[in-house]
Amino acid sequence: MATEVADWSPVADSVEVVSYDTHFADEDALAAALADADIVVTLRERVPFPGSLLARLPRLRLLVASGMRNSVIDYAAAEAHGVTVCGTASSSTPPVELTWALLLGLARGIVQEGNGLREGGPWQQTVGADLHGRRLGLLGLGKIGGRVAQVGLAFGMRVSAWSQNLTRERTDEVGVELAPSKEALLRDADFVSVHLALGERTRGLLGPAELALLKPTAYLVNTSRAAIVDQEALLAALHEGRIAGAGVDVFDTEPLPAGHPMRTAPRLLATPHLGYVTRANYATYYGQAVEAIAAYLAGSPVRRLPVPPPTTPGPV
């Protein structure tokens, strides 16, 4: 897809493009494959670039990561080894749309009913969960969470949101309620959707105690980062039927190993990290990767990562 959705002709005379369509099993395999690479374009956070790997790539000079946030690149090591890191734009629209695909798929039993129809199973085997009038609880109300909220409102849902720094000014701007606490949001919601960045404060934010607050008829959707939800606790809740179901697009290990319990968990609608995977988004990723390569070769790198924090004026 990298070579199909973007025009590589601006750098065709300067670089030879080699693409890999399979995931490397370990750092040794990755280091061997990239040993002769001067430039690497990596997709989101699928492949870590720790200092140990960067030290084994002496020819590497430019690393282009899709998106402007990447938690699996050791920026200090990249700088120490003389590697420039650049990013690209990334649209928030695809993860918003996938969130609703998962939520609606869960609510109306789309996969189960579709499979039953194709395989000669029972005619109508589920009773769908209504959206109109139900409570949608959003953990996070940033760019993605805000747009998810707007869709929920269009469905006639009662929408509330919570995060550690969320203000009433922001909830008023979006037109949703500010939940008094994380616990209150979880207790009241019929559907909970996670839209938070992964950090020290959000890692394990939903553990056994928090999942126990959900109604047995509630659904949980996570298109953000797997580590925000305790994976063992989620599996236990699904197997024990303590929640109605979950829609998950992110996992603790990706690609998900063949025998991973998430592949066979009951009440789970799972997709292989498709949140950002759309043709328009890929055209942006790889089109801007070409721009980044051309700019670097011209001596003027663009969209360098990490983005420096905004400076605040000192005392006058």
Side-chain angles (χ1 to χ4, degrees), residues 89-175:
S90 184
S91 173
S92 62
T93 299
V96 171
E97 294 173 352
L98 184 71
T99 295
W100 280 101
L102 289 172
L103 195 152
L104 287 165
L106 286 168
R108 299 305 298 269
I110 298 298
V111 173
Q112 184 178 352
E113 294 288 4
N115 288 343
L117 187 147
R118 293 174 63 90
E119 296 165 4
W123 185 262
Q124 298 178 358
Q125 53 189 309
T126 63
V127 177
D130 296 276
L131 270 60
H132 185 87
R134 298 303 188 268
R135 172 72 65 182
L136 171 63
L138 299 176
L139 292 169
L141 197 64
K143 186 182 299 185
I144 295 174
R147 296 183 70 175
V148 170
Q150 291 171 345
V151 177
L153 293 171
F155 272 116
M157 302 184 79
R158 297 175 295 131
V159 183
S160 56
W162 177 91
S163 69
Q164 288 151 329
N165 296 320
L166 187 59
T167 64
R168 187 169 298 280
E169 179 182 18
R170 171 60 178 163
T171 55
D172 288 347
E173 176 188 356
V174 179

Side-chain angles (χ1 to χ4, degrees), residues 84-297:
T84 299
V85 184
C86 297
T88 74
S90 184
S91 173
S92 62
T93 299
V96 171
E97 294 173 352
L98 184 71
T99 295
W100 280 101
L102 289 172
L103 195 152
L104 287 165
L106 286 168
R108 299 305 298 269
I110 298 298
V111 173
Q112 184 178 352
E113 294 288 4
N115 288 343
L117 187 147
R118 293 174 63 90
E119 296 165 4
W123 185 262
Q124 298 178 358
Q125 53 189 309
T126 63
V127 177
D130 296 276
L131 270 60
H132 185 87
R134 298 303 188 268
R135 172 72 65 182
L136 171 63
L138 299 176
L139 292 169
L141 197 64
K143 186 182 299 185
I144 295 174
R147 296 183 70 175
V148 170
Q150 291 171 345
V151 177
L153 293 171
F155 272 116
M157 302 184 79
R158 297 175 295 131
V159 183
S160 56
W162 177 91
S163 69
Q164 288 151 329
N165 296 320
L166 187 59
T167 64
R168 187 169 298 280
E169 179 182 18
R170 171 60 178 163
T171 55
D172 288 347
E173 176 188 356
V174 179
V176 304
E177 301 172 33
L178 176 62
S181 66
K182 173 182 64 177
E183 291 75 15
L185 181 142
L186 296 172
R187 279 193 298 266
D188 294 343
D190 299 292
F191 299 87
V192 174
S193 191
V194 181
H195 301 287
L196 295 165
L198 178 62
E200 290 309 310
R201 294 194 304 169
T202 59
R203 187 179 298 274
L205 186 72
L206 298 186
E210 287 78 17
L211 294 178
L213 297 174
L214 292 170
K215 303 174 183 177
T217 54
Y219 296 89
L220 174 67
V221 176
N222 185 10
T223 56
S224 240
R225 290 293 182 269
I228 296 173
V229 181
D230 184 309
Q231 299 296 282
E232 293 301 321
L234 176 58
L235 283 168
L238 292 170
H239 279 283
E240 295 167 15
R242 288 188 277 108
I243 60 175
V248 173
D249 186 49
V250 287
F251 305 91
D252 52 4
T253 302
E254 296 184 7
L256 204 59
H260 196 285
M262 279 288 185
R263 287 186 177 268
T264 54
R267 304 177 181 85
L268 178 66
L269 176 56
T271 48
H273 207 151
L274 299 178
Y276 57 83
V277 184
T278 66
R279 181 168 290 270
N281 223 17
Y282 270 35
T284 297
Y285 290 165
Y286 295 112
Q288 292 194 2
V290 174
E291 293 175 4
I293 293 169
Y296 175 81
L297 295 175

Side-chain angles (χ1 to χ4, degrees), residues 27 42 45 47-55 60 63 65 70-85 305-306:
E27 186 176 299
T42 183
E45 295 171 322
V47 179
F49 281 83
S52 57
L53 174 61
L54 293 168
L60 183 62
L63 178 59
N70 194 301
S71 64
V72 298
I73 296 173
D74 186 332
Y75 295 108
E79 183 177 7
H81 289 286
V83 179
T84 299
V85 184
L305 297 177

